[in-house]
Amino acid sequence: MPRRRIGFWYRLAACVVKPFLLLFFKRDWRGMHHIPAQGGFITVVNHNSYLDPLSYAHFQYNTGRVPRFLAKESLFRKGPVGAMMRGTGQIPVYRETSDAAGAFRAAVEAVNRGECVAFYPEGTLTRDPGLWPMEGKTGAARVALLTGAPVIPVAQWGAHEAMPPYATSKRLRLFPRKTLTVVAGPPVDLSEYQGVEPNTEVLREMTDKIMDAITALLADVRDEEPPATRHVHHRARTERRDPSTASAEETTE
């Protein structure tokens, strides 16, 4: 299956964002050879800063396989951001409506067309005190089970030093220059689940394996031992959600 062309809008976004990232940050990129050259696939990425979607997108753009993110529908409505979201083919999520499952269907269709769909399985910025990945939601596992596509774990670190999560000030801390580390690992081995009915227990087991793979990559980057248990975040319905990681997972559990 042919790979999706990058297209005008993605190239325009790169022209806007890449100079900023190249000027103010150093890069430590590893594992780009794990990004499939052809065919549909899923990436699963940890999240510890509002800035890190840009560092991950920069990393994968340079592989020639651009990701499609799931983002809240309001970002698509108007202005330059909306035009960019629509033009680059991102997937809108309609929360708490009859269209909520549409993002999940769109993700499956995109992967089946040979594209990459990027999931932030935590669903929000990590609340773990040490910024380790939290327990994941099951959307990526469900898409993997329905499509049979490879799931590529991606760990990133360093963006939080420039924009700490949940800091009272959103001011960027650009100096001294920070290093944005992005590491892609080999596909998560989910072969034992092929052809299995996607029930709650199976999806949770798959998701735990996915989160284990991301955590192991991050532990190697940080040269630290992760916690013995994974933080579980119970989101209040009134809590402000992170627009950079709005995802179909919330409609599939």
Side-chain angles (χ1 to χ4, degrees):
M1 183 177 294
R3 64 200 296 176
R4 181 189 180 207
R5 297 180 61 186
I6 291 179
F8 167 78
W9 283 99
Y10 239 117
R11 294 189 188 280
L12 177 61
C15 288
V16 172
V17 175
K18 283 179 67 174
F20 164 77
L21 295 174
L22 292 172
L23 178 63
F24 290 107
F25 296 96
K26 295 178 283 187
R27 292 173 295 166
D28 178 9
W29 288 354
R30 315 175 204 168
M32 295 178 78
H33 60 284
H34 291 303
I35 300 298
Q38 301 290 335
F41 64 102
I42 298 159
T43 55
V44 284
V45 192
N46 69 304
H47 190 32
N48 52 50
S49 171
Y50 288 116
L51 183 64
D52 63 39
L54 296 182
S55 58
Y56 158 67
H58 186 194
F59 168 86
Q60 193 158 315
Y61 178 89
N62 276 34
T63 70
R65 301 300 311 274
V66 293
R68 292 186 65 182
F69 292 92
L70 295 97
K72 67 177 184 178
E73 177 271 338
S74 61
L75 294 175
F76 292 74
R77 293 179 189 170
K78 57 185 178 180
V81 172
M84 197 74 73
M85 297 293 286
R86 296 189 300 271
T88 54
Q90 308 312 310
I91 299 173
V93 177
Y94 299 82
R95 296 186 185 279
E96 299 173 4
T97 72
S98 59
D99 295 325
F104 173 73
R105 291 192 297 270
V108 171
E109 291 168 1
V111 171
N112 284 334
R113 284 196 304 269
E115 301 182 33
C116 167
V117 174
F119 281 85
Y120 283 85
E122 296 163 276
T124 187
L125 286 166
T126 182
R127 260 63 166 196
D128 182 89
L131 302 184
W132 292 97
M134 300 186 296
E135 181 177 76
K137 298 182 182 294
T138 62
R142 188 182 294 268
V143 173
L145 202 57
L146 290 175
T147 62
V151 177
I152 309 298
V154 178
Q156 50 184 353
W157 190 244
H160 67 287
E161 295 179 345
M163 183 177 282
Y166 305 110
T168 54
S169 171
K170 294 298 188 291
R171 184 176 179 180
L172 283 170
R173 304 172 184 179
L174 297 177
F175 300 103
R177 288 176 77 205
K178 313 299 190 294
T179 298
L180 302 179
T181 300
V182 185
V183 181
V188 182
D189 183 5
L190 300 173
S191 57
E192 64 185 289
Y193 303 102
Q194 290 182 359
V196 176
E197 183 70 21
N199 58 43
T200 301
E201 182 179 355
V202 166
L203 293 173
R204 174 47 50 198
E205 288 180 6
M206 294 175 68
T207 301
D208 287 344
K209 290 193 72 170
I210 288 169
M211 299 311 298
D212 286 346
I214 299 171
T215 303
L217 288 174
L218 186 60
D220 185 63
V221 168
R222 296 174 58 171
D223 194 23
E224 298 176 35
E225 283 294 321
T229 58
R230 194 166 287 126
H231 183 84
V232 178
H233 174 56
H234 298 288
R235 188 202 313 271
R237 295 182 69 85
T238 57
E239 177 187 330
R240 184 174 67 86
R241 291 172 171 132
D242 176 2
S244 68
T245 58
S247 72
E249 287 131 319
E250 293 176 345
T251 71
T252 59
E253 283 198 310

